Amino acid sequence: MERAHSLLLNEEACSQLAEHQRAEFVFEWLSYLKKLLPATDRADIKQHQRRLVEQLSGILIGSPGPPARWLLAHCLALLYRLGDPLAASLLVERCNDIIRSKDDSPSGLPTRLAAIACLGSLYEQLGRMLVGSFKETLANLLKAMRNAESQGRYEIMLSVERILRGLGVSAVPCHRDVYKAARTCLTDRSMAVRCAAAKCLLELQREAVFLWTTELENVATLCFRAFEGSNYEVRVSVAKLLGTLLATAVEPRPHAAPRQGGRSRSSLEEVMDLLTGGFLRGGAGFLRASGDMLKGTSSVSKDIRIGVTQACVVFISTLGSSWLEANFPALLSLLMELASHGKATHTPVDAVVTRCCVSFILRSTLGSLLGEKAQTNAAKQLCLAVATQKRAVDEALTDGNMESRVSAADVSASQHVLVCCLLELGRLIRGLGSTAAPLVTDGSTALLDTVISVLLHPVSSARLAAAWCLRCVAMAMPSQGSLLLDRCAERLVALKSSPEAVAGYGGAVAALVAGVQHCPLGIPHTKGK
């Protein structure tokens, strides 16, 4: 393989090898050439450019495999960028001829795929030097996609993405054509094609203003349909696309102002309505979604709800920490509406999935984007949300008899809000550690009183979440462990006639004792008595 380490392909050494060894030799040479070209003097590259183009073109029509064709495309584009770029248009025309050919032989498909990959790399590296031929190239690629198999559609989408990246604003005349092709591929049966289409649309939205203005709702619906039956890679790619579009709609880029007559920006409520609609109804049309609701069934799969959750995280992360800090109260209110929505918690399984999704959004944003001061303020907001829900529950319990106590909508909906808020409140306090002490001593927040009051909630999930939150407080501030244990034990004895009190305070005592192992000073031995 040392003979492959040269600027020109050693054809004599290559011809002496067996066929399978020859492919390995060519791959080794391409890998070396990719590293060598940037370090070679430009005069040397121009001197050998013609011969190099001939050798690389020979590999192009020799049916290279996927790794070889990607290396080949990169090397060709690098050669023209570092050497003389004027002859690149001839290679573009040759690649277009290969794509237009009707060769259905076994060697024809790999050659066409290699030509498609070369076009993408050439336009990405040379950009506007090839602007004169890009309309013909793009039309050729989109036409070829109509009859292409999944591998061909995948390569074409990747190539179009690179063309858009290289040309930038110069590709505006073809944006609509690219959008029409990519939206079809976004719901393709092949997962790889869906990923490539999402990446292509993500590149397209940098210059195509209509994607986050007039077409925003249509693209969002397409993304919800793309989530259905998807795998992890598809969900990540499509969520990045949807989240970025929504963030741009809320905070448009300065240089990408919409044209006259277009929408200037979307509000947080409008964006969250789109995401909530996808979470509750998925990508189904109105009639299908309404029919499923009438039958009492849910048409929304977990894939869609997880994808919407990831898109929400991308949306918030793209807008950044300053935006989150300023808009957290409104965002929390909208997330809690989703957590308590009847369609999102129709069955126990739906309720668990919804709570996990909302908790994931809170943890992924509050835990990674905000600093210490902002996290403290967020904890206060969560505490206020818990207090508001607890007051609503208390009013529902005092207004009716035992029958209305069980069936009250406020009580059943509040448990999901309380669980999400208390779990995130506990995580924030545990992360803040001793710096969360002002939260405990702040009389306006009354954090401990608020959390302890939830131990009397009629639903066990809310009581357990409150017990876990107290455990986090004791772990963050060990000095509170003994005090909380005394307080819960006293209330347990005083309210032993109440089943909810016994279960709630008993769970809190168990949680506090279990958390002692994480506190270096522990608790006094006499507490066990």
Side-chain angles (χ1 to χ4, degrees), residues 438-511:
L439 281 172
V440 176
T441 57
D442 187 357
S444 63
T445 307
L447 186 145
L448 291 180
D449 291 339
T450 301
V451 175
I452 289 174
S453 69
V454 183
L455 295 174
L456 296 175
H457 196 279
V459 181
S460 61
S461 60
R463 296 195 296 266
L464 292 173
W468 190 86
C469 186
L470 290 176
R471 178 178 185 265
C472 291
V473 172
M475 292 170 62
M477 293 164 282
S479 61
Q480 292 290 329
S482 183
L483 299 176
L484 287 173
L485 196 56
D486 286 340
R487 187 171 177 178
C488 291
E490 289 172 4
R491 300 300 295 166
L492 179 61
V493 174
L495 299 175
K496 59 184 178 182
S497 60
S498 169
E500 288 89 352
V502 171
Y505 286 108
V509 169

Side-chain angles (χ1 to χ4, degrees), residues 50 114 158 168 190 233 238 270 318 323 414 419 425 454 471 509 524:
R50 183 175 179 181
L158 290 182
S190 168
E233 288 75 15
V238 177
E270 290 172 336
T318 303
W323 180 91
S414 70
V419 168
L425 179 60
V454 183
R471 178 178 185 265
V509 169

Side-chain angles (χ1 to χ4, degrees), residues 175-176 179 201-220 241-259 262-267 270-271 274 315:
H175 279 176
R176 289 283 179 179
Y179 170 58
L201 285 172
L202 184 63
E203 188 62 41
L204 180 66
Q205 63 86 31
R206 297 180 187 277
E207 304 294 342
V209 176
F210 64 86
L211 281 181
W212 49 269
T213 51
T214 56
E215 288 292 321
L216 182 61
E217 292 184 14
N218 293 332
V219 176
L241 166 65
L242 180 56
T244 304
L245 284 173
L246 295 177
T248 308
V250 172
E251 294 287 342
R253 289 184 290 269
H255 67 281
R259 298 178 181 87
R263 294 165 54 187
S264 59
R265 64 172 62 194
S266 300
S267 66
E270 290 172 336
V271 165
L274 276 177
F315 161 66

Side-chain angles (χ1 to χ4, degrees), residues 316-339:
I316 299 169
S317 301
T318 303
L319 291 173
S321 57
S322 299
W323 180 91
L324 175 59
E325 187 175 354
N327 294 274
F328 180 67
L331 179 65
L332 179 63
S333 176
L334 294 170
L335 288 176
M336 292 308 107
E337 285 181 19
L338 176 60

Side-chain angles (χ1 to χ4, degrees), residues 334-524:
L334 294 170
L335 288 176
M336 292 308 107
E337 285 181 19
L338 176 60
S340 59
H341 201 288
K343 296 173 188 174
T345 58
H346 183 68
T347 65
V349 173
D350 287 339
V352 170
V353 170
T354 300
R355 289 205 303 246
C356 287
C357 289
V358 173
S359 294
F360 180 81
I361 293 171
L362 291 172
R363 183 84 302 246
S364 300
T365 53
L366 300 182
S368 60
L369 294 178
L370 298 184
E372 184 179 294
K373 183 179 179 181
Q375 284 186 345
T376 302
N377 292 332
K380 290 180 180 179
Q381 293 294 329
L382 289 167
C383 191
L384 292 175
V386 171
T388 301
Q389 286 297 320
K390 187 62 176 65
R391 282 196 299 270
V393 171
D394 291 341
E395 290 173 3
L397 293 180
T398 54
D399 288 345
N401 56 22
M402 293 300 293
E403 293 182 2
S404 65
R405 177 179 179 177
V406 175
S407 60
D410 288 338
V411 177
S412 62
S414 70
Q415 60 170 312
H416 309 300
V417 175
L418 288 172
V419 168
C420 294
C421 288
L422 287 167
L423 291 181
E424 183 56 30
L425 179 60
R427 294 187 186 106
L428 282 175
I429 292 173
R430 189 171 178 182
L432 289 169
S434 59
T435 57
L439 281 172
V440 176
T441 57
D442 187 357
S444 63
T445 307
L447 186 145
L448 291 180
D449 291 339
T450 301
V451 175
I452 289 174
S453 69
V454 183
L455 295 174
L456 296 175
H457 196 279
V459 181
S460 61
S461 60
R463 296 195 296 266
L464 292 173
W468 190 86
C469 186
L470 290 176
R471 178 178 185 265
C472 291
V473 172
M475 292 170 62
M477 293 164 282
S479 61
Q480 292 290 329
S482 183
L483 299 176
L484 287 173
L485 196 56
D486 286 340
R487 187 171 177 178
C488 291
E490 289 172 4
R491 300 300 295 166
L492 179 61
V493 174
L495 299 175
K496 59 184 178 182
S497 60
S498 169
E500 288 89 352
V502 171
Y505 286 108
V509 169
L512 291 168
V513 172
V516 169
Q517 60 180 317
H518 300 289
C519 302
L521 298 179
I523 57 174

